[in-house]
Coordinates of all heavy atoms in Angstrom, one line a residue:
L282 N 10.0 2.2 -5.1 CA 9.1 3.0 -5.8 C 8.3 3.9 -4.9 O 8.0 5.1 -5.2 CB 8.1 2.1 -6.6 CG 8.8 1.2 -7.7 CD1 7.7 0.4 -8.4 CD2 9.6 2.0 -8.6
R283 N 7.9 3.4 -3.8 CA 7.1 4.2 -2.8 C 8.0 5.4 -2.3 O 7.5 6.5 -2.1 CB 6.6 3.4 -1.7 CG 5.4 2.5 -2.0 CD 4.7 2.0 -0.8 NE 5.5 1.0 -0.1 CZ 5.4 -0.3 -0.3 NH1 4.6 -0.8 -1.2 NH2 6.2 -1.2 0.5
A284 N 9.3 5.1 -2.1 CA 10.2 6.2 -1.6 C 10.3 7.3 -2.7 O 10.3 8.5 -2.3 CB 11.5 5.6 -1.3
L285 N 10.3 7.0 -4.0 CA 10.3 8.0 -5.0 C 9.0 8.8 -5.0 O 9.1 10.0 -5.0 CB 10.5 7.3 -6.4 CG 11.8 6.6 -6.6 CD1 11.7 5.7 -7.9 CD2 12.9 7.6 -6.8
V286 N 7.9 8.1 -4.9 CA 6.6 8.8 -4.9 C 6.5 9.7 -3.7 O 6.0 10.9 -3.8 CB 5.5 7.7 -4.8 CG1 4.1 8.4 -4.5 CG2 5.4 7.0 -6.2
E287 N 7.0 9.3 -2.6 CA 6.9 10.1 -1.3 C 7.7 11.5 -1.5 O 7.2 12.5 -1.0 CB 7.5 9.3 -0.2 CG 7.5 10.1 1.2 CD 6.1 10.4 1.6 OE1 5.1 9.7 1.3 OE2 5.9 11.5 2.3
Q288 N 8.8 11.4 -2.2 CA 9.5 12.7 -2.5 C 8.8 13.7 -3.3 O 8.8 14.9 -3.0 CB 10.9 12.4 -3.1 CG 11.9 11.6 -2.2 CD 12.2 12.4 -1.0 OE1 12.4 13.6 -1.0 NE2 12.3 11.7 0.1
V289 N 8.0 13.2 -4.3 CA 7.2 14.1 -5.1 C 6.0 14.6 -4.3 O 5.6 15.8 -4.4 CB 6.8 13.4 -6.4 CG1 5.9 14.3 -7.2 CG2 8.0 13.0 -7.2
T290 N 5.5 13.7 -3.4 CA 4.4 14.1 -2.6 C 4.8 15.3 -1.7 O 4.0 16.1 -1.3 CB 4.0 12.9 -1.7 OG1 3.4 11.9 -2.6 CG2 2.9 13.3 -0.7
R291 N 6.1 15.3 -1.3 CA 6.6 16.3 -0.4 C 6.9 17.6 -1.1 O 7.3 18.6 -0.5 CB 7.9 15.8 0.3 CG 7.7 14.7 1.3 CD 9.0 14.2 1.8 NE 8.8 13.1 2.8 CZ 9.8 12.5 3.3 NH1 11.1 12.8 3.1 NH2 9.5 11.5 4.2
G292 N 6.7 17.7 -2.4 CA 6.8 18.9 -3.2 C 7.9 19.0 -4.2 O 8.1 20.0 -4.9
H293 N 8.7 17.9 -4.4 CA 9.7 17.9 -5.4 C 9.0 17.6 -6.7 O 8.1 16.8 -6.8 CB 10.8 16.8 -5.1 CG 11.6 17.0 -4.0 ND1 12.8 17.8 -4.0 CD2 11.5 16.6 -2.7 CE1 13.3 17.8 -2.8 NE2 12.6 17.1 -2.0
P294 N 9.5 18.3 -7.8 CA 8.9 18.0 -9.1 C 9.1 16.6 -9.7 O 8.3 16.1 -10.4 CB 9.5 19.1 -10.0 CG 10.8 19.4 -9.4 CD 10.5 19.3 -7.9
A295 N 10.2 16.1 -9.2 CA 10.6 14.7 -9.7 C 11.5 14.1 -8.7 O 12.2 14.8 -7.9 CB 11.2 14.8 -11.1
A296 N 11.6 12.8 -8.7 CA 12.5 12.0 -7.9 C 13.1 10.9 -8.7 O 12.4 10.2 -9.4 CB 11.8 11.5 -6.6
A297 N 14.5 10.8 -8.6 CA 15.2 9.8 -9.4 C 16.0 8.9 -8.6 O 16.2 9.2 -7.4 CB 16.1 10.5 -10.4
S298 N 16.4 7.8 -9.1 CA 17.2 6.8 -8.4 C 18.6 7.2 -8.5 O 19.2 7.4 -9.6 CB 17.0 5.4 -9.0 OG 15.6 5.0 -8.9
D299 N 19.3 7.2 -7.3 CA 20.7 7.6 -7.3 C 21.5 6.3 -7.2 O 21.5 5.5 -6.3 CB 20.9 8.4 -6.0 CG 22.4 8.9 -5.8 OD1 23.2 8.6 -6.7 OD2 22.6 9.6 -4.9
Y300 N 22.3 6.1 -8.3 CA 23.1 4.9 -8.4 C 24.4 4.9 -7.6 O 25.0 3.9 -7.5 CB 23.4 4.6 -9.9 CG 22.2 4.6 -10.8 CD1 22.3 5.1 -12.1 CD2 21.0 4.1 -10.4 CE1 21.2 5.1 -13.0 CE2 19.9 4.1 -11.2 CZ 20.0 4.6 -12.5 OH 18.9 4.6 -13.4
G301 N 24.7 6.0 -7.1 CA 25.9 6.1 -6.2 C 27.2 6.4 -6.9 O 27.3 6.0 -8.1
G302 N 28.1 7.1 -6.3 CA 29.4 7.3 -6.9 C 29.3 8.0 -8.2 O 28.6 9.0 -8.4
E303 N 30.0 7.4 -9.2 CA 30.0 8.0 -10.5 C 28.9 7.4 -11.4 O 28.8 7.6 -12.6 CB 31.3 7.8 -11.2 CG 32.5 8.5 -10.5 CD 33.8 8.3 -11.2 OE1 33.9 7.6 -12.2 OE2 34.8 8.9 -10.7
G304 N 28.0 6.6 -10.8 CA 27.0 5.9 -11.5 C 25.9 6.8 -12.0 O 25.1 6.5 -12.9
G305 N 25.8 8.0 -11.4 CA 24.8 9.0 -11.8 C 23.4 8.7 -11.3 O 23.3 8.0 -10.2
F306 N 22.4 9.1 -11.9 CA 21.0 8.9 -11.5 C 20.1 8.7 -12.7 O 20.5 9.0 -13.8 CB 20.5 10.1 -10.6 CG 20.5 11.4 -11.3 CD1 19.4 11.8 -12.1 CD2 21.6 12.2 -11.2 CE1 19.5 13.0 -12.8 CE2 21.6 13.5 -11.9 CZ 20.5 13.8 -12.6
G307 N 18.9 8.1 -12.4 CA 18.0 7.9 -13.5 C 16.8 7.1 -13.0 O 16.3 7.3 -11.9
V308 N 16.3 6.3 -13.9 CA 15.1 5.5 -13.5 C 15.4 4.3 -12.7 O 16.5 3.9 -12.7 CB 14.3 5.1 -14.8 CG1 13.8 6.3 -15.6 CG2 15.2 4.2 -15.7
P309 N 14.4 3.9 -11.9 CA 13.1 4.4 -11.8 C 13.0 5.8 -11.3 O 13.9 6.2 -10.5 CB 12.4 3.4 -10.8 CG 13.2 2.2 -10.8 CD 14.6 2.7 -11.1
A310 N 12.1 6.5 -11.8 CA 11.9 7.9 -11.4 C 10.4 8.3 -11.4 O 9.6 7.7 -12.1 CB 12.6 8.9 -12.4
A311 N 10.1 9.2 -10.4 CA 8.7 9.6 -10.3 C 8.6 11.1 -10.8 O 9.5 11.9 -10.5 CB 8.3 9.5 -8.8
F312 N 7.5 11.4 -11.4 CA 7.3 12.7 -12.0 C 6.0 13.3 -11.5 O 4.9 12.6 -11.6 CB 7.3 12.7 -13.5 CG 8.7 12.2 -14.1 CD1 8.9 10.9 -14.2 CD2 9.6 13.1 -14.5 CE1 10.1 10.4 -14.7 CE2 10.8 12.7 -15.0 CZ 11.1 11.4 -15.1
A313 N 6.0 14.5 -11.1 CA 4.7 15.2 -10.7 C 3.9 15.4 -11.9 O 4.4 15.4 -13.1 CB 5.0 16.5 -10.0
A314 N 2.5 15.5 -11.7 CA 1.6 15.6 -12.8 C 2.0 16.8 -13.8 O 1.8 16.6 -15.0 CB 0.2 15.8 -12.3
E315 N 2.5 17.9 -13.2 CA 2.8 19.0 -14.1 C 3.9 18.8 -15.0 O 4.1 19.6 -15.9 CB 3.0 20.3 -13.2 CG 4.2 20.2 -12.3 CD 3.8 19.8 -10.9 OE1 2.7 19.1 -10.7 OE2 4.5 20.2 -9.9
L316 N 4.7 17.7 -14.8 CA 5.8 17.4 -15.7 C 5.4 16.5 -16.9 O 6.2 16.3 -17.8 CB 7.0 16.8 -14.9 CG 7.7 17.7 -13.9 CD1 9.0 17.1 -13.5 CD2 7.9 19.1 -14.4
L317 N 4.2 15.9 -16.8 CA 3.8 15.0 -17.9 C 3.9 15.6 -19.3 O 4.3 14.9 -20.2 CB 2.4 14.4 -17.6 CG 2.3 13.7 -16.3 CD1 0.9 13.0 -16.2 CD2 3.4 12.7 -16.0
P318 N 3.5 16.9 -19.5 CA 3.7 17.4 -20.8 C 5.1 17.5 -21.3 O 5.4 17.3 -22.5 CB 3.1 18.9 -20.7 CG 2.2 18.8 -19.6 CD 2.8 17.8 -18.6
E319 N 6.1 17.6 -20.4 CA 7.5 17.6 -20.8 C 7.9 16.2 -21.2 O 8.8 16.0 -22.1 CB 8.4 18.0 -19.6 CG 8.2 19.5 -19.3 CD 9.1 20.0 -18.2 OE1 10.3 19.5 -18.2 OE2 8.7 20.8 -17.4
L320 N 7.4 15.1 -20.6 CA 7.7 13.8 -21.0 C 7.1 13.5 -22.4 O 7.6 12.8 -23.3 CB 7.1 12.8 -20.0 CG 7.8 12.8 -18.6 CD1 7.1 11.9 -17.7 CD2 9.3 12.4 -18.8
L321 N 5.9 14.1 -22.6 CA 5.2 13.9 -24.0 C 6.0 14.6 -25.1 O 5.9 14.2 -26.2 CB 3.8 14.5 -23.9 CG 2.7 13.7 -23.3 CD1 1.4 14.5 -23.3 CD2 2.5 12.4 -24.1
A322 N 6.8 15.6 -24.7 CA 7.6 16.4 -25.7 C 8.9 15.8 -26.1 O 9.6 16.3 -26.9 CB 7.7 17.8 -25.2
L323 N 9.3 14.7 -25.4 CA 10.6 14.1 -25.7 C 10.7 13.6 -27.1 O 9.7 13.1 -27.7 CB 10.8 12.9 -24.8 CG 11.0 13.2 -23.3 CD1 11.0 11.9 -22.5 CD2 12.4 13.9 -23.1
S324 N 11.9 13.8 -27.7 CA 12.1 13.2 -29.1 C 12.4 11.7 -29.0 O 12.6 11.2 -27.9 CB 13.2 14.0 -29.8 OG 14.4 13.7 -29.1
G325 N 12.3 11.1 -30.1 CA 12.4 9.6 -30.2 C 13.7 9.1 -29.5 O 13.6 8.1 -28.8
H326 N 14.8 9.7 -29.7 CA 16.1 9.2 -29.2 C 16.3 9.5 -27.7 O 17.3 9.0 -27.1 CB 17.3 9.7 -30.0 CG 17.5 11.1 -29.8 ND1 16.8 12.1 -30.5 CD2 18.4 11.8 -29.0 CE1 17.3 13.3 -30.2 NE2 18.2 13.2 -29.3
Q327 N 15.5 10.3 -27.1 CA 15.7 10.8 -25.7 C 15.0 9.9 -24.7 O 13.9 9.4 -25.0 CB 15.2 12.2 -25.5 CG 16.0 13.3 -26.3 CD 15.4 14.6 -26.1 OE1 14.1 14.8 -26.2 NE2 16.2 15.6 -25.8
G328 N 15.7 9.6 -23.6 CA 15.1 9.0 -22.5 C 14.5 10.1 -21.6 O 14.4 11.3 -22.0
A329 N 14.3 9.8 -20.3 CA 13.7 10.8 -19.4 C 14.8 11.8 -18.8 O 14.4 12.7 -18.2 CB 13.0 10.1 -18.3
K330 N 16.0 11.5 -19.1 CA 17.1 12.3 -18.4 C 17.0 13.8 -18.7 O 17.2 14.6 -17.8 CB 18.5 11.8 -18.9 CG 19.7 12.2 -18.0 CD 19.5 11.6 -16.6 CE 20.8 11.9 -15.8 NZ 21.9 11.0 -16.2
P331 N 16.7 14.2 -19.9 CA 16.6 15.7 -20.1 C 15.5 16.4 -19.2 O 15.7 17.5 -18.8 CB 16.1 15.8 -21.6 CG 16.7 14.5 -22.2 CD 16.5 13.5 -21.2
V332 N 14.4 15.7 -18.9 CA 13.4 16.2 -18.0 C 14.0 16.3 -16.6 O 13.8 17.3 -15.9 CB 12.1 15.4 -18.1 CG1 11.1 16.0 -17.1 CG2 11.5 15.4 -19.5
L333 N 14.7 15.2 -16.2 CA 15.3 15.3 -14.9 C 16.3 16.4 -14.7 O 16.3 17.1 -13.7 CB 15.9 13.9 -14.6 CG 14.9 12.7 -14.5 CD1 15.8 11.4 -14.3 CD2 14.0 12.9 -13.3

Side-chain angles (χ1 to χ4, degrees):
L282 298 183
R283 287 196 290 266
L285 293 167
V286 168
E287 182 61 29
Q288 290 300 319
V289 177
T290 296
R291 291 176 181 176
H293 293 276
S298 298
D299 183 357
Y300 305 145
E303 298 180 359
F306 59 87
V308 292
F312 298 83
E315 59 264 29
L316 296 193
L317 301 190
E319 295 186 33
L320 294 172
L321 279 175
L323 291 171
S324 64
H326 68 278
Q327 292 177 313
K330 197 66 171 285
V332 177
L333 296 174

